[in-house]
Amino acid sequence: MDVETASALERIIERVDALNTSLGGKIVAFRDDLRHEISALRDETRQDSSALRESVAEVRPHAVILEESTREDVRFVAEAVAELSVTINSLQR
């Protein structure tokens, strides 16, 4: 191999090494940023989940009361419809 080719190969090797070093640093930085973001998302998700559980715990008693009230209203309407049906049937005879 002549001196010129050897010199060109040496420059290419230096550039590849520099690129490798540069990319390696960027990959490490990207990995660290990604880990930080994932950790922040986990913390945020935990906080959101905790807040959601608290909200559900606060709303649940009200929902139970509304559900019982709605059942009573439906039962009342059903009884009224049944009475009206009996009344209509008796008037039709």
Side-chain angles (χ1 to χ4, degrees), residues 39-52:
S39 177
L41 283 172
R42 281 185 186 143
D43 292 343
E44 189 176 321
T45 301
R46 284 185 190 122
Q47 291 171 356
D48 289 349
S49 295
S50 178
L52 182 60

Side-chain angles (χ1 to χ4, degrees), residues 63-77:
V64 169
I65 290 169
L66 286 173
E67 187 251 347
E68 290 172 359
S69 175
T70 302
R71 281 186 182 190
E72 289 177 20
D73 292 346
V74 168
R75 188 176 303 122
F76 174 74
V77 169

Side-chain angles (χ1 to χ4, degrees), residues 1-51:
M1 176 176 345
D2 64 4
V3 174
E4 189 176 319
T5 304
S7 177
L9 283 174
E10 188 61 35
R11 286 193 306 269
I12 290 172
I13 290 170
E14 288 173 3
R15 290 178 73 186
V16 168
D17 287 345
L19 183 61
N20 189 21
T21 301
S22 174
L23 285 177
K26 289 178 181 179
I27 289 170
V28 168
F30 178 75
R31 183 194 66 205
D32 292 344
D33 289 347
L34 189 58
R35 283 182 177 165
H36 175 73
E37 290 296 323
I38 289 171
S39 177
L41 283 172
R42 281 185 186 143
D43 292 343
E44 189 176 321
T45 301
R46 284 185 190 122
Q47 291 171 356
D48 289 349
S49 295
S50 178

